[in-house]
Amino acid sequence: MTATAASAPSQQISSGFRWTQLIIGLICMAMMANYQYGWTFFVPPMAKAHSWQVASIQVAFSLFIAFETWLTPVEGFIVDWLGPRGPKIMVAIGGILAACGWLINSRADSLEMIYVGAILSGTGAGAVYATCVGNAVRWFPDRRGLAVGLTAAGFGAGAALTVIPIQKMIVSIGYADTFFWFALGQGVIVFVLAWLLRPPQAGEVPTASAVKVLQSKTSSNPGQVLRSPLFWILYLMFIAVSASGLMVTAQLSIIAKDYGVAQTIILFGLPTLTLAGVIDSLCNGGARPFFGWVSDQIGREYTMAIAFGLGAIAYWLLGTAGTTPWAFVICAAIVFFTWGEIFSLFPSTTTDIFGPKFATTNTALMYSAKGMSAFVVPLANVLKTHTGSWHAVFVVASIMNILVVAAALFIVRPMRLSMSAAEKQSPVAQPAE
């Protein structure tokens, strides 16, 4: 009785503190959002100023995504290895690198320098992303989908607050100075907040006894994860869904221009592209905690089936009915709402399967799939040029989503049920930490 009473105040303090950790992570992620979702607004003025081909500029976007994702397993390993100091050190370094990337972009007079900036900013953004997601899944074993969703929402919706300022600054002071001032502002905020982050200690988080979804009772190290067939199935699913979404997020302004709706004024004096940028960021960010919460209630695979099934419909609609201003805004919003949830569903599923002890590294390994998907983005331009329209691109995206729905229901779900049954029959189980 005494031990229980003594532990109660600690549980209350930890409960409040873990939400503080989540909010700090969310803000840091929001400061990284423009590096991906604000990029599309810089492409046209860069192409015009330097007479560069859009496809050549978009190589920088692919490099950003690649370095944002492929280095995260290394960054996650360093975080786990450093222990309590890991999150603060890695996020601080990430903020500095991301800022340096855009500072280079602000002065770049060649595509090669733009590529260097993309590599630095991608490395920094990935360090922040992997660390904050890894911290969230460890602090919230009981609400893992929601916690990761809220954290990832910062990265998805953070750009909504700056879509209009970025566009206005590009018009008024030029894209180069816009790169410069946003780099400084975002970098300083992330660097300061980084020193407040830390992982939970033993006894600081609630048990997962009331969890409604399948969760492993053991933790797997990265080597064991990489030897798991289930990990690679999820990895391929992530690539498929991520690629379909990136084809739209990276090309949004170009698609709107090709449809002839980009500058059409439709609401409160805002052109179609600007309004779509705001709404899409909100939908992208909102999808992450929403579907994360849903997955906590009904299971990860069923949620994947619902979200990605709706995504298949959304891509088809954007390709067939999205050619008028309001239709473009609505269809694009649905696309973003049914794509953003991958960044809550896959990390939470990975931690459910492989445990929390090496969560930062393991979720980073899964997140690296986004880097593989980035190289599909230029292929979308090739397909569009070959066919003469975006319709074929969106048909391919729809098919990819349908295949992932089938994999979630008929491959992943049965495999997880089999693993859970085998774990219950095992006489010895190492508790997840």
Side-chain angles (χ1 to χ4, degrees), residues 115-129:
Y115 298 160
V116 171
I119 291 171
L120 287 177
S121 59
T123 302
V128 174
Y129 194 107

Side-chain angles (χ1 to χ4, degrees), residues 253-278:
S253 63
I254 300 170
I255 295 169
K257 182 179 179 181
D258 287 347
Y259 281 0
V261 301
Q263 299 305 317
T264 303
I265 305 299
I266 58 174
L267 184 67
F268 302 133
L270 295 176
T272 300
L273 181 59
T274 302
L275 182 63
V278 174

Side-chain angles (χ1 to χ4, degrees), residues 214 230 411-425:
L214 293 172
L230 184 53
I411 300 178
V412 175
R413 181 73 180 174
M415 288 182 71
R416 292 192 65 198
L417 288 172
S418 177
M419 290 173 62
S420 178
E423 191 175 66
K424 289 178 181 179
Q425 295 175 1

Side-chain angles (χ1 to χ4, degrees), residues 23-385:
I23 292 171
I24 294 170
L26 191 155
I27 296 173
C28 289
M29 295 279 267
M31 293 300 101
M32 295 293 104
N34 282 321
Y35 289 96
Q36 178 172 323
Y37 297 105
W39 173 258
T40 187
F41 302 112
F42 290 93
V43 174
M46 278 194 289
K48 182 178 180 180
H50 299 280
S51 299
W52 294 334
Q53 295 294 319
V54 169
S56 298
I57 296 174
Q58 291 293 38
V59 171
F61 183 82
S62 295
L63 287 170
F64 169 85
I65 298 297
F67 280 83
E68 181 208 7
T69 54
W70 287 352
L71 292 181
T72 53
V74 177
E75 294 156 351
F77 176 80
I78 293 172
V79 171
D80 288 338
W81 178 70
L82 289 174
R85 300 174 299 159
K88 58 187 65 181
I89 292 174
M90 187 57 66
V91 171
I93 293 173
I96 293 172
L97 289 175
C100 287
W102 269 23
L103 289 174
I104 289 175
N105 287 351
S106 72
R107 297 293 179 262
D109 57 4
S110 68
L111 284 168
E112 290 75 17
M113 288 304 295
I114 292 293
Y115 298 160
V116 171
I119 291 171
L120 287 177
S121 59
T123 302
V128 174
Y129 194 107
T131 305
C132 291
V133 167
N135 217 36
V137 297
R138 296 183 68 180
W139 275 105
F140 287 85
D142 53 332
R143 301 177 183 178
R144 188 165 284 152
L146 175 62
V148 178
L150 287 170
T151 303
F155 195 80
L161 300 175
T162 52
V163 165
I164 294 176
I166 280 181
Q167 292 194 5
K168 288 186 177 297
M169 286 181 68
I170 289 175
V171 171
S172 62
I173 65 175
Y175 81 86
D177 286 342
T178 304
F179 268 136
F180 180 84
W181 290 112
F182 268 89
L184 287 184
Q186 293 166 167
V188 168
I189 291 172
V190 171
F191 183 81
V192 171
L193 290 179
W195 303 104
L196 302 177
L197 290 170
R198 72 166 177 85
Q201 299 174 3
E204 281 193 304
V205 297
T207 63
S209 57
V211 171
K212 300 177 183 178
V213 299
L214 293 172
Q215 285 191 356
S216 174
K217 294 182 175 63
T218 63
S219 282
S220 301
N221 62 45
Q224 294 170 319
V225 170
L226 291 174
R227 291 192 295 271
S228 169
L230 184 53
F231 171 82
W232 291 109
I233 293 170
L234 288 169
Y235 195 86
L236 292 175
M237 291 166 60
F238 196 131
I239 289 175
V241 183
S242 177
S244 60
L246 288 175
M247 286 190 295
V248 176
T249 61
Q251 315 279 4
L252 188 65
S253 63
I254 300 170
I255 295 169
K257 182 179 179 181
D258 287 347
Y259 281 0
V261 301
Q263 299 305 317
T264 303
I265 305 299
I266 58 174
L267 184 67
F268 302 133
L270 295 176
T272 300
L273 181 59
T274 302
L275 182 63
V278 174
I279 294 176
D280 292 347
S281 293
L282 293 174
C283 288
N284 187 15
R288 304 175 187 210
F290 173 75
F291 283 108
W293 173 80
V294 170
S295 73
D296 286 337
Q297 310 305 313
I298 68 172
R300 315 298 184 204
E301 298 86 1
Y302 294 138
T303 307
M304 288 180 181
I306 294 170
F308 304 150
L310 292 173
I313 297 172
Y315 289 113
W316 180 80
L317 286 174
L318 184 59
T320 57
T323 55
T324 61
W326 272 111
F328 178 83
V329 171
I330 293 171
C331 292
I334 300 173
V335 166
F336 275 76
F337 186 70
T338 55
W339 176 70
E341 79 286 340
I342 62 175
F343 302 109
S344 58
L345 295 182
F346 282 96
S348 54
T349 304
T350 301
T351 309
D352 286 347
I353 296 171
F354 301 110
K357 185 174 182 180
F358 304 96
T360 307
T361 307
N362 293 340
T363 55
L365 286 169
M366 180 60 65
Y367 186 63
S368 69
K370 182 182 173 184
M372 297 294 294
S373 67
F375 287 91
V376 177
V377 175
L379 296 180
N381 294 90
V382 174
L383 181 58
K384 184 263 179 182
T385 301

